[in-house]
Amino acid sequence: MPDIALRFHKDMLVLSAPLAAVLARQGVDVARDLEYLNLIEPEAVRDALRLESIAGAQCLVAGTEGIAPARLAHHGMEDRLGDLARAALGIVGSLKPQHVLAEVGPCGLPLDGSSAASLNENRSQYARAARAFEGAALDAFLLGGFANPVDLKCALMGLRQASDLPVFAAIDVDGDGLVADGRMAVEEAVALMGEFGASVAGITTGAPADRAAELVERACASTDLPVLVQLRVADHAPRQGASTPENPYYCPDVMVDAAARLRAAGAQFLRTVGDATPAYTGALAAATDGFDVVAPRGADPAEDEDDLATLLSAVRGR
């Protein structure tokens, strides 16, 4: 299925989780070697992604989060953007997913929002990253890991300078819907994404499922773009026994209810990040497989509760 945009506002889709947590459990120094693994140990990366595919992720995300030149320069790889992009996409493509996304994270350069030179330098980082994928087979870019709206704006502008592919954008927000810098609310953040060329507006949060669903409703009320939610797993700790405010997603099972709530709130794309395992992806996929996107705006609250109860019952009965 070559064009992911044809599925916008239609099918519920799950993105594969980042590979860092799984590879770290295998002893990989992910801070130093994560991108390099695509080149020197592609089988290790393929095996980790294969588990995500088996778990049910329809969209596999290539391990290119650190592809910005400034970040690769820390590892002496700034001249290998194209090699890294081709290797990472080759690994993903070999698994034949429905859709392929390439992740691009913050470039890490100092950013002065009042300086044109600083803004231009940051934008060029993302444009160069996007050009590394020129001519490659992928469906969309994913901008993840962003906490600064100005940085995200630079990333969107940079990608749009170099590519017309769909762009998924996500920004970190807390349980009250404030961006990590504390100066922007979720409504403003998703509006900014639409203004600067995002195709999908997303949030990343570690808030409990009910609060995350409220954030999705606020996002949906502020944009006509499809909405992505990345739930952050603070600690995979099955022995915890129950959700806590600090670690609501302590085991994969809790993702079933979370997925149902997020779908009922209007989200289309779901993903787990942080200390997630393929089982978390599997729970999201099992809870949403075969379901269409819903549009909750303007619905009666009582009807929303009835619909959610019906959905939860259907999911648990699978």
Side-chain angles (χ1 to χ4, degrees):
M1 191 168 294
D3 190 353
I4 196 170
L6 294 175
R7 305 183 79 173
F8 287 176
H9 298 297
K10 295 178 181 178
D11 309 316
M12 291 296 299
L13 297 173
V14 174
L15 280 60
S16 62
L19 303 181
V22 170
L23 293 173
R25 291 188 181 95
Q26 298 173 8
V28 174
D29 183 347
V30 294
R32 185 189 67 185
D33 297 332
L34 187 56
E35 286 74 30
Y36 197 38
L37 282 180
N38 288 289
L39 298 172
I40 63 168
E41 291 194 37
E43 284 300 327
V45 179
R46 184 178 292 109
D47 288 345
L49 273 171
R50 183 180 289 114
L51 293 176
E52 292 286 327
S53 179
I54 292 171
Q58 299 94 347
C59 308
L60 292 189
V61 182
T64 55
E65 189 268 344
I67 198 171
R71 289 180 61 176
L72 291 180
H74 289 291
H75 310 294
M77 295 176 60
E78 64 272 22
D79 59 346
R80 303 199 66 181
L81 271 73
D83 294 340
L84 173 59
R86 286 188 292 272
L89 291 181
I91 293 169
V92 176
S94 70
L95 298 172
K96 304 188 184 311
Q98 293 183 27
H99 298 290
V100 176
L101 278 69
E103 184 165 12
V104 179
C107 70
L109 288 180
L111 178 59
D112 181 355
S114 64
S115 166
S118 177
L119 293 170
N120 286 333
E121 186 176 16
N122 274 264
R123 282 196 294 267
S124 70
Q125 288 283 312
Y126 301 107
R128 289 172 63 189
R131 291 190 185 104
F133 295 93
E134 190 171 354
L138 72 157
D139 294 277
F141 289 104
L142 168 63
L143 293 172
F146 287 81
N148 184 332
V150 179
D151 195 6
L152 180 58
K153 181 168 71 174
C154 286
L156 284 166
M157 294 175 71
L159 289 188
R160 283 291 168 243
Q161 286 176 5
S163 175
D164 59 0
L165 286 173
V167 178
F168 291 49
I171 196 163
D172 295 355
V173 297
D174 64 17
D176 294 321
L178 287 177
V179 174
D181 69 355
R183 295 186 297 236
M184 182 178 286
V186 63
E187 292 88 350
E188 300 169 272
V190 298
L192 179 147
M193 295 175 198
E195 180 182 355
F196 286 92
S199 310
V200 174
I203 60 171
T204 304
T205 185
D210 56 348
R211 185 62 61 86
E214 293 174 5
L215 298 178
V216 170
E217 290 175 352
R218 290 169 58 182
C220 288
S222 305
T223 183
D224 292 326
L225 299 176
V227 171
L228 159 71
V229 183
Q230 299 190 134
L231 293 177
R232 183 180 296 107
V233 179
D235 182 22
H236 176 219
R239 294 183 181 179
Q240 181 176 306
S243 295
T244 64
E246 298 76 22
N247 191 30
Y249 308 113
Y250 70 98
C251 74
D253 289 350
V254 301
M255 287 296 173
V256 175
D257 282 4
R261 291 181 180 278
L262 294 174
R263 175 182 176 267
Q268 176 176 10
F269 297 94
L270 303 179
R271 188 188 192 205
T272 56
V273 297
D275 195 31
T277 68
Y280 283 86
T281 298
L284 292 179
T288 57
D289 183 45
F291 284 114
D292 295 331
V293 179
V294 300
R297 279 177 287 175
D300 180 83
E303 291 180 356
D304 285 349
E305 290 298 322
D306 290 342
D307 290 344
L308 177 58
T310 300
L311 177 59
L312 288 171
S313 177
V315 168
R316 289 167 180 156
R318 288 187 172 188

